Amino acid sequence: MKNHILPVLLLLLISAFQTVNAENQPQSSDNAFDWLQKMATAPRQHNYSGTFVYYADNYMESSRITHKVNHEGEFEKIEVLDGLTRIVYRNNDEMKCYLPDSKRIYTEKRWFRKFFPDLLPQPSERINENYKIKIKKQERVAGYDCQVLMLVPKDNLRYGYKFWIHVDSGLLLKAAVMDKENIIEQFAFAQIEIDGEIDANKLDPGSIKISKNWKTINLSTVLLDEGELAWRLGELPAGFKKVAEMKRNLVGKSLMVDHIVLSDELASVSVFIEPVKKDTPSPVPGFYSSRGAINIYVRELENSKITTVGEVPLNTIKLIGDAVYLQ
């Protein structure tokens, strides 16, 4: 009996070895941009539900996401499972964030897509000017076969990225921000179901018990035409261009704040400008770290506090922050 089993086992091992080696061979990068386009559109075309984990700076947080697409658009619920309870409901671009511990509801119209797994706006060929896109071997994430893409920056003005893209749907199942070989921030699904039926009741915020002492804060955004703000941008780091300018009322701010958004097609940077109040101390200029890939740079100009925040290295944050001037 053993003599019959051994050849079969050996044949299986050889077959598996050949399959693994075939999968491990890097593919041509000719269609790498096609994978980015597939990854950008997938979150708006598929139902999915699961649990993903965010990791950065020895901090880890898990969230449960449910996403449904139908003829009316997109519906989504994200519930943070660690720490204070936070539940976000989204109906297309309308968002509501429920904070049961503080009995607050924040509402806002989403003006820019960048929430895992919807991390990439519709890319243009301009992304090739700043990154070299490489197709790597396929790997498995949460039980699904994924195509791995590496985006290697062509300079020191931006971080690199590694994407694990579900082969069939194009959905992003894992993403890492890289500083050379080091992972500084990562999102990854631990469990996910793709294209399953989703009960609409699971996406109904009416299931949250709201009492009279809850407070609703509406965070408004006013998109402006090019040049409406008095603030201008001088010479910018290579590859970065202004995406939008607007006025926003942010959490904890009594007045609307000027907001300029820049991007290199992948990394985004925000510049917030607000007047320095006479009865408050002047802002302390300098660098402030957040978590993961986010860096912060603060300076004062014309009695205004300029805060530059973005998922780029410190030298890039400073170049952008210092490029802001008042016309």
Side-chain angles (χ1 to χ4, degrees):
M1 184 70 175
K2 288 182 180 179
N3 290 336
H4 291 291
I5 292 176
L6 284 173
V8 174
L9 289 176
L10 184 60
L11 183 62
L12 288 173
L13 285 171
I14 293 172
S15 176
F17 179 79
Q18 291 173 335
T19 302
V20 168
N21 270 291
E23 291 177 350
N24 285 349
Q25 296 301 316
Q27 300 178 36
S28 166
S29 294
D30 293 342
N31 65 337
F33 187 73
D34 294 336
W35 278 106
L36 285 181
Q37 289 183 312
K38 189 175 181 180
M39 168 185 144
T41 57
R44 300 149 212 183
Q45 297 176 337
H46 296 275
N47 289 353
Y48 53 89
S49 61
T51 302
F52 65 85
V53 177
Y54 167 78
Y55 178 81
D57 299 337
N58 294 319
Y59 173 84
M60 189 164 60
E61 182 178 87
S62 56
S63 301
R64 182 186 298 117
I65 186 170
T66 305
H67 180 272
K68 181 181 179 68
V69 179
N70 60 23
H71 65 282
E72 296 178 347
E74 294 179 70
F75 301 86
E76 189 171 85
K77 175 186 177 183
I78 302 176
E79 181 179 4
V80 179
L81 302 177
D82 306 311
L84 297 176
T85 305
R86 287 157 286 166
I87 308 171
V88 177
Y89 289 89
R90 177 169 70 87
N91 182 343
N92 292 315
D93 290 331
E94 301 291 335
M95 299 182 66
K96 287 186 177 182
C97 179
Y98 291 79
L99 306 176
D101 298 280
S102 59
K103 293 182 171 55
R104 279 179 165 78
I105 304 170
Y106 291 97
T107 70
E108 186 173 18
K109 185 170 184 178
R110 188 172 75 160
W111 57 271
F112 189 63
R113 289 177 177 270
K114 199 138 193 183
F115 298 92
F116 183 79
D118 192 0
L119 289 182
L120 186 68
Q122 192 61 43
S124 72
E125 293 286 352
R126 192 167 71 85
I127 203 168
N128 290 303
E129 298 173 8
N130 306 307
Y131 301 89
K132 185 175 182 180
I133 310 172
K134 298 179 179 180
I135 295 183
K136 298 294 186 178
K137 67 178 182 179
Q138 291 188 10
E139 297 179 10
R140 274 164 53 85
V141 175
Y144 292 89
D145 292 329
C146 292
Q147 178 59 63
V148 179
L149 249 59
M150 289 286 296
L151 279 77
V152 181
K154 295 182 178 180
D155 51 37
N156 65 348
L157 296 171
R158 61 207 93 233
Y159 293 126
Y161 293 83
K162 191 173 183 180
F163 297 133
W164 287 257
I165 305 168
H166 180 219
V167 170
D168 294 332
S169 68
L171 198 65
L172 180 63
L173 300 190
K174 184 176 178 181
V177 182
M178 313 287 294
D179 186 3
K180 296 182 175 61
E181 298 299 322
N182 299 319
I183 295 176
I184 57 177
E185 181 177 272
Q186 181 172 279
F187 291 89
F189 275 104
Q191 174 275 326
I192 184 171
E193 181 181 351
I194 302 172
D195 287 333
E197 288 296 323
I198 294 177
D199 188 345
N201 291 328
K202 292 183 178 181
L203 300 164
D204 182 7
S207 60
I208 299 178
K209 295 181 180 179
I210 306 297
S211 56
K212 292 182 179 179
N213 58 342
W214 280 62
K215 184 178 181 181
T216 299
I217 300 105
N218 298 312
L219 303 177
S220 60
T221 298
V222 181
L223 288 171
L224 304 175
D225 293 330
E226 170 71 27
E228 278 197 69
L229 289 180
W231 297 94
R232 297 290 184 268
L233 296 170
E235 185 177 355
L236 295 170
F240 284 91
K241 294 184 179 181
K242 182 165 65 174
V243 174
E245 58 183 67
M246 65 199 80
K247 285 184 174 290
R248 300 179 66 192
N249 67 319
L250 302 177
V251 178
K253 304 293 182 182
S254 57
L255 300 174
M256 294 195 83
V257 173
D258 293 345
H259 184 189
I260 300 173
V261 185
L262 305 96
S263 175
D264 69 349
E265 294 290 313
L266 188 55
S268 60
V269 177
S270 285
V271 180
F272 299 99
I273 308 162
E274 57 186 310
V276 176
K277 296 180 181 178
K278 294 181 180 179
D279 56 346
T280 59
S282 294
V284 179
F287 295 109
Y288 297 86
S289 62
S290 179
R291 179 179 287 136
I294 302 297
N295 286 305
I296 303 168
Y297 171 59
V298 177
R299 63 185 281 242
E300 186 178 350
L301 180 68
E302 302 288 349
N303 294 318
S304 295
K305 177 184 176 183
I306 301 173
T307 304
T308 308
V309 183
E311 51 196 10
V312 293
L314 287 174
N315 60 317
T316 308
I317 280 287
K318 188 176 189 302
L319 287 170
I320 293 174
D322 288 343
V324 179
Y325 68 95
L326 188 63
Q327 183 175 341

